[in-house]
Amino acid sequence: TMGNWLVNHWFSAAVLAAWLGINIFLFTYYFLFFDRDERYFYTRAILGSALAWARASAKCLNFNSMLILLPVCRNLLSFLRGTCSCCRRTLRKQLDHNLAFHKLVAYALALLTAVHTVAHLFNLERYNGSQQAADGSLPAVLSKMHLQGGGKWLNPIHSNQTTVEYVAFTTIPGLTGVIITLALILMVTSSTEFIRRNYFEVFWYTHHLFLIYFAGLVIHGIAGLVRGQTEESMEEVHPRRCAQYLTRKDEDCSHNCCKDPEFGSIPAESWKWVLAPLILYTFERILRVWRARQKVVVTKVVMHPARVLELQMQKKGFRMEVGQYIFVNCPAISLLEWHPFTLTSAPEEDFFSIHIRAAGDWTERLIDTFQQQKTEMPRIEVDGPFGTASEDVFQYEVAMLVGAGIGVTPFASILKSIWYKFQQADQTLKTMKIYFYWLCRDTGAFAWFNDLLASLEQKMAESGKADFLTYRLFLTGWDTSIANNVALRFDTATDTVTGLRHKTIFGRPMWNSEFAAVAAAHPRSVVGVFLCGPGALAKSLQKSCHQHSSLDPRKVKFYFNKENF
């Protein structure tokens, strides 16, 4: 429910409200300022309300450009997470929504850029129209002021033989505006989920256009083409008193005529907004390079079926928690590309590990590189770990873990860690029973996970704790050859698809009956439900949690937790 969401995400909601509020305030304040301030009386005479639309959107663009880099400063976020380790974990968890906020700010930049560009196209059209007008109107008179010399101009277009397109590509604001907009369009379009998943390199390299974006943004307003009346001129010839005389110059002026107004540029100020974040981001990149240079030793390489590569590594001073991830670079493949991988080892182990599935050019080349190396290992660089630990699992007597597809990866770390804690009789571990559900289209891609489950199954059976973990594997995509194989070997002790003791179930889980069975088995327990998977599944699990929780506080309660890995 909305109430629950606000309780769990109050910090996110507060940040969102503050961000939206500041944007609305900046836009409204500067819109009214440029629409009413008398220093821009003459500018408005030529441009009309398009001036206010352009300037208000420019302020909001500066504000959002200031924010866009902060959510991707990974080390800054880790530092904040560390400093607020005494805060509630829900607060630290909110910092994991950094990419969602980054995307939100990017969409705002795209929208504001559209408003700013359209407003300036109207402005250019009106500047051009006023320059070519010869009707003696106020815009026409103001546009001819450049002929008097002395820097008195208000209209930046001084020629009758020009076009809007010409100005857009030959002036500093025009050209930088075009370049910034193109860079932004390319960055936004190459960030779609489809491109990130299938053509990560396209996304990675295109995103570095942010350097051009910020360079263009700093230069954009430097020419000061939009002008207003100077303070000195306002005192001497206030437009309310003097504007009428500008169009009546030819009449007899003996004592009450005004001098011509004088104009000055609005100073460029984008650099003031973005300087601090750019310095911060520069330090972030330097820190990443320094951390990446620290030696990583690959202690073991395991090639699992279906082209899944497991790398076990050691690095001095590396400390991880369950549910965290690292960024990996292999200089032999690409000096610049860093890819995120969830850690599949447990903190109790003396190494850290990742499982790499062949999905795209970089992963394919990495797997090939490790397969071909017989003697010397390729050098690996690691940055991290990042992300908030998923320690909530250990706080429940009963835990239901649901992994869908690749979402199974974080649970490798969690299941291993729970087993180690259980073995060592760790007092912080409240968990007495785990139900693990794994939904998968084809088991081939995750054969390595079968190995992990099989070893856990064996260890638990050996120590007489076989009932600590109950897992159910659901194969959602299957063909007739699998079905025939299953039919032939129905009586075997182990499963035909996975080789595990628990049989694979074909089709999707019936969540109502799964929850009812857990509720019946643990009538007085608090059950934590953890999902790493798609949004649609989250909704259906949330609904089941609500339906199967008892109103009686002494009876079973289900609490839903969606992990963002």
mmCIF file of all heavy atoms in Angstrom, residues 28 43 130 138 179 197 218 238-239 246 261 296 348 368 379 382 395 437 464 467 470 502 526 544:
data_model
loop_
_atom_site.group_PDB
_atom_site.id
_atom_site.type_symbol
_atom_site.label_atom_id
_atom_site.label_comp_id
_atom_site.label_asym_id
_atom_site.label_seq_id
_atom_site.Cartn_x
_atom_site.Cartn_y
_atom_site.Cartn_z
ATOM 1 N N THR A 28 9.197 28.942 -11.599
ATOM 2 C CA THR A 28 8.178 29.984 -11.353
ATOM 3 C C THR A 28 8.827 31.329 -11.043
ATOM 4 O O THR A 28 8.450 32.360 -11.619
ATOM 5 C CB THR A 28 7.264 29.565 -10.174
ATOM 6 O OG1 THR A 28 6.819 28.226 -10.405
ATOM 7 C CG2 THR A 28 6.064 30.478 -10.041
ATOM 8 N N THR A 43 13.595 44.154 -23.907
ATOM 9 C CA THR A 43 13.853 42.799 -24.446
ATOM 10 C C THR A 43 12.517 42.114 -24.721
ATOM 11 O O THR A 43 12.345 41.454 -25.754
ATOM 12 C CB THR A 43 14.682 41.973 -23.426
ATOM 13 O OG1 THR A 43 15.665 42.809 -22.833
ATOM 14 C CG2 THR A 43 15.353 40.778 -24.094
ATOM 15 N N SER A 130 12.059 41.404 -36.163
ATOM 16 C CA SER A 130 12.193 42.802 -35.713
ATOM 17 C C SER A 130 13.302 43.525 -36.473
ATOM 18 O O SER A 130 13.194 44.717 -36.771
ATOM 19 C CB SER A 130 12.515 42.851 -34.210
ATOM 20 O OG SER A 130 11.525 42.179 -33.486
ATOM 21 N N LEU A 138 8.195 49.795 -31.894
ATOM 22 C CA LEU A 138 9.223 49.721 -30.859
ATOM 23 C C LEU A 138 10.242 48.600 -31.130
ATOM 24 O O LEU A 138 11.454 48.853 -31.075
ATOM 25 C CB LEU A 138 8.576 49.571 -29.476
ATOM 26 C CG LEU A 138 9.532 49.603 -28.271
ATOM 27 C CD1 LEU A 138 10.359 50.883 -28.236
ATOM 28 C CD2 LEU A 138 8.747 49.447 -26.960
ATOM 29 N N ILE A 179 25.196 21.292 -30.212
ATOM 30 C CA ILE A 179 26.103 20.198 -29.791
ATOM 31 C C ILE A 179 25.621 19.567 -28.479
ATOM 32 O O ILE A 179 25.544 18.337 -28.353
ATOM 33 C CB ILE A 179 27.559 20.723 -29.652
ATOM 34 C CG1 ILE A 179 28.116 21.074 -31.040
ATOM 35 C CG2 ILE A 179 28.452 19.698 -28.964
ATOM 36 C CD1 ILE A 179 29.411 21.876 -31.016
ATOM 37 N N ARG A 197 21.480 -3.828 -22.035
ATOM 38 C CA ARG A 197 21.566 -5.292 -21.871
ATOM 39 C C ARG A 197 22.301 -5.952 -23.039
ATOM 40 O O ARG A 197 23.061 -6.889 -22.850
ATOM 41 C CB ARG A 197 20.159 -5.898 -21.765
ATOM 42 C CG ARG A 197 19.462 -5.533 -20.480
ATOM 43 C CD ARG A 197 19.382 -6.702 -19.514
ATOM 44 N NE ARG A 197 18.707 -6.337 -18.297
ATOM 45 C CZ ARG A 197 19.316 -6.040 -17.164
ATOM 46 N NH1 ARG A 197 20.627 -6.044 -17.096
ATOM 47 N NH2 ARG A 197 18.638 -5.726 -16.084
ATOM 48 N N VAL A 218 29.209 25.098 -20.194
ATOM 49 C CA VAL A 218 29.997 26.178 -19.593
ATOM 50 C C VAL A 218 30.211 27.323 -20.594
ATOM 51 O O VAL A 218 30.145 28.498 -20.239
ATOM 52 C CB VAL A 218 31.353 25.624 -19.069
ATOM 53 C CG1 VAL A 218 32.302 26.742 -18.701
ATOM 54 C CG2 VAL A 218 31.115 24.711 -17.871
ATOM 55 N N HIS A 238 14.216 55.530 -17.363
ATOM 56 C CA HIS A 238 13.362 54.399 -17.000
ATOM 57 C C HIS A 238 12.350 54.137 -18.121
ATOM 58 O O HIS A 238 11.742 55.088 -18.626
ATOM 59 C CB HIS A 238 12.637 54.684 -15.675
ATOM 60 C CG HIS A 238 12.098 53.453 -15.042
ATOM 61 N ND1 HIS A 238 10.966 52.832 -15.475
ATOM 62 C CD2 HIS A 238 12.573 52.706 -13.997
ATOM 63 C CE1 HIS A 238 10.750 51.762 -14.732
ATOM 64 N NE2 HIS A 238 11.706 51.659 -13.820
ATOM 65 N N PRO A 239 12.186 52.863 -18.514
ATOM 66 C CA PRO A 239 11.298 52.580 -19.656
ATOM 67 C C PRO A 239 9.860 53.078 -19.463
ATOM 68 O O PRO A 239 9.186 53.435 -20.423
ATOM 69 C CB PRO A 239 11.351 51.059 -19.793
ATOM 70 C CG PRO A 239 11.979 50.550 -18.553
ATOM 71 C CD PRO A 239 12.831 51.644 -18.040
ATOM 72 N N LEU A 246 10.898 56.639 -27.788
ATOM 73 C CA LEU A 246 11.727 55.924 -28.760
ATOM 74 C C LEU A 246 11.068 55.856 -30.132
ATOM 75 O O LEU A 246 11.732 55.886 -31.158
ATOM 76 C CB LEU A 246 12.042 54.497 -28.268
ATOM 77 C CG LEU A 246 13.194 54.367 -27.266
ATOM 78 C CD1 LEU A 246 13.258 52.964 -26.727
ATOM 79 C CD2 LEU A 246 14.525 54.740 -27.914
ATOM 80 N N PRO A 261 18.237 54.253 -24.318
ATOM 81 C CA PRO A 261 18.630 53.327 -23.246
ATOM 82 C C PRO A 261 19.915 52.576 -23.614
ATOM 83 O O PRO A 261 20.239 52.438 -24.793
ATOM 84 C CB PRO A 261 17.443 52.362 -23.156
ATOM 85 C CG PRO A 261 16.793 52.431 -24.496
ATOM 86 C CD PRO A 261 17.015 53.814 -25.010
ATOM 87 N N VAL A 296 45.065 -7.527 -7.948
ATOM 88 C CA VAL A 296 44.044 -8.564 -7.757
ATOM 89 C C VAL A 296 44.648 -9.896 -8.206
ATOM 90 O O VAL A 296 45.190 -9.999 -9.304
ATOM 91 C CB VAL A 296 42.777 -8.261 -8.595
ATOM 92 C CG1 VAL A 296 41.777 -9.407 -8.502
ATOM 93 C CG2 VAL A 296 42.142 -6.956 -8.150
ATOM 94 N N GLU A 348 32.268 -14.887 4.719
ATOM 95 C CA GLU A 348 33.043 -15.814 5.556
ATOM 96 C C GLU A 348 34.156 -16.525 4.781
ATOM 97 O O GLU A 348 35.049 -17.131 5.380
ATOM 98 C CB GLU A 348 32.104 -16.885 6.160
ATOM 99 C CG GLU A 348 31.125 -16.341 7.184
ATOM 100 C CD GLU A 348 29.873 -15.696 6.590
ATOM 101 O OE1 GLU A 348 29.723 -15.670 5.334
ATOM 102 O OE2 GLU A 348 29.047 -15.201 7.362
ATOM 103 N N ASP A 368 36.493 -16.164 -23.490
ATOM 104 C CA ASP A 368 37.465 -16.718 -24.457
ATOM 105 C C ASP A 368 38.896 -16.530 -23.956
ATOM 106 O O ASP A 368 39.718 -17.439 -24.023
ATOM 107 C CB ASP A 368 37.319 -16.034 -25.829
ATOM 108 C CG ASP A 368 36.036 -16.465 -26.537
ATOM 109 O OD1 ASP A 368 35.496 -17.517 -26.156
ATOM 110 O OD2 ASP A 368 35.592 -15.743 -27.444
ATOM 111 N N ARG A 379 45.293 -10.041 -16.580
ATOM 112 C CA ARG A 379 45.190 -9.136 -15.421
ATOM 113 C C ARG A 379 43.748 -8.657 -15.275
ATOM 114 O O ARG A 379 43.101 -8.330 -16.265
ATOM 115 C CB ARG A 379 46.129 -7.937 -15.606
ATOM 116 C CG ARG A 379 46.253 -7.070 -14.347
ATOM 117 C CD ARG A 379 47.513 -6.227 -14.412
ATOM 118 N NE ARG A 379 47.461 -5.237 -15.479
ATOM 119 C CZ ARG A 379 46.964 -4.003 -15.336
ATOM 120 N NH1 ARG A 379 46.477 -3.617 -14.181
ATOM 121 N NH2 ARG A 379 46.967 -3.161 -16.347
ATOM 122 N N VAL A 382 39.706 -4.490 -10.204
ATOM 123 C CA VAL A 382 38.420 -4.527 -9.490
ATOM 124 C C VAL A 382 38.200 -3.216 -8.751
ATOM 125 O O VAL A 382 39.120 -2.704 -8.101
ATOM 126 C CB VAL A 382 38.393 -5.718 -8.493
ATOM 127 C CG1 VAL A 382 37.250 -5.582 -7.505
ATOM 128 C CG2 VAL A 382 38.295 -7.038 -9.245
ATOM 129 N N GLN A 395 17.458 -11.459 9.761
ATOM 130 C CA GLN A 395 16.633 -10.972 10.872
ATOM 131 C C GLN A 395 15.305 -11.720 11.022
ATOM 132 O O GLN A 395 14.535 -11.435 11.928
ATOM 133 C CB GLN A 395 16.339 -9.468 10.696
ATOM 134 C CG GLN A 395 17.567 -8.595 10.525
ATOM 135 C CD GLN A 395 18.573 -8.752 11.655
ATOM 136 O OE1 GLN A 395 18.199 -8.734 12.825
ATOM 137 N NE2 GLN A 395 19.841 -8.950 11.312
ATOM 138 N N TYR A 437 12.878 -20.226 -3.871
ATOM 139 C CA TYR A 437 12.146 -20.456 -5.123
ATOM 140 C C TYR A 437 12.960 -19.872 -6.263
ATOM 141 O O TYR A 437 13.352 -18.702 -6.212
ATOM 142 C CB TYR A 437 10.770 -19.765 -5.080
ATOM 143 C CG TYR A 437 9.940 -20.187 -3.894
ATOM 144 C CD1 TYR A 437 10.095 -19.535 -2.666
ATOM 145 C CD2 TYR A 437 9.025 -21.218 -3.984
ATOM 146 C CE1 TYR A 437 9.352 -19.910 -1.558
ATOM 147 C CE2 TYR A 437 8.268 -21.606 -2.876
ATOM 148 C CZ TYR A 437 8.441 -20.950 -1.675
ATOM 149 O OH TYR A 437 7.710 -21.337 -0.586
ATOM 150 N N GLY A 464 23.115 -33.465 9.320
ATOM 151 C CA GLY A 464 21.792 -33.770 9.865
ATOM 152 C C GLY A 464 20.838 -32.597 9.876
ATOM 153 O O GLY A 464 19.900 -32.529 10.665
ATOM 154 N N ASP A 467 16.679 -30.442 6.555
ATOM 155 C CA ASP A 467 15.404 -29.708 6.428
ATOM 156 C C ASP A 467 15.570 -28.198 6.611
ATOM 157 O O ASP A 467 14.603 -27.460 6.588
ATOM 158 C CB ASP A 467 14.388 -30.254 7.437
ATOM 159 C CG ASP A 467 14.934 -30.199 8.868
ATOM 160 O OD1 ASP A 467 16.155 -29.963 9.014
ATOM 161 O OD2 ASP A 467 14.151 -30.377 9.817
ATOM 162 N N THR A 470 14.628 -25.674 2.048
ATOM 163 C CA THR A 470 13.702 -26.301 1.100
ATOM 164 C C THR A 470 13.718 -25.428 -0.139
ATOM 165 O O THR A 470 13.508 -24.226 -0.046
ATOM 166 C CB THR A 470 12.265 -26.337 1.679
ATOM 167 O OG1 THR A 470 12.289 -27.132 2.850
ATOM 168 C CG2 THR A 470 11.282 -26.931 0.672
ATOM 169 N N HIS A 502 15.505 -32.379 -5.075
ATOM 170 C CA HIS A 502 14.173 -31.776 -5.218
ATOM 171 C C HIS A 502 13.804 -31.728 -6.696
ATOM 172 O O HIS A 502 14.595 -31.265 -7.510
ATOM 173 C CB HIS A 502 14.158 -30.355 -4.639
ATOM 174 C CG HIS A 502 14.237 -30.340 -3.151
ATOM 175 N ND1 HIS A 502 13.196 -29.928 -2.362
ATOM 176 C CD2 HIS A 502 15.231 -30.699 -2.304
ATOM 177 C CE1 HIS A 502 13.560 -30.018 -1.089
ATOM 178 N NE2 HIS A 502 14.795 -30.481 -1.036
ATOM 179 N N VAL A 526 7.351 -14.820 12.013
ATOM 180 C CA VAL A 526 7.446 -13.647 11.138
ATOM 181 C C VAL A 526 8.281 -14.091 9.937
ATOM 182 O O VAL A 526 9.425 -14.511 10.082
ATOM 183 C CB VAL A 526 8.125 -12.464 11.860
ATOM 184 C CG1 VAL A 526 8.300 -11.292 10.908
ATOM 185 C CG2 VAL A 526 7.296 -12.037 13.061
ATOM 186 N N SER A 544 0.260 -11.436 -2.196
ATOM 187 C CA SER A 544 0.197 -12.689 -1.410
ATOM 188 C C SER A 544 0.600 -12.452 0.042
ATOM 189 O O SER A 544 0.010 -13.022 0.961
ATOM 190 C CB SER A 544 1.109 -13.753 -2.021
ATOM 191 O OG SER A 544 0.652 -14.106 -3.299
#
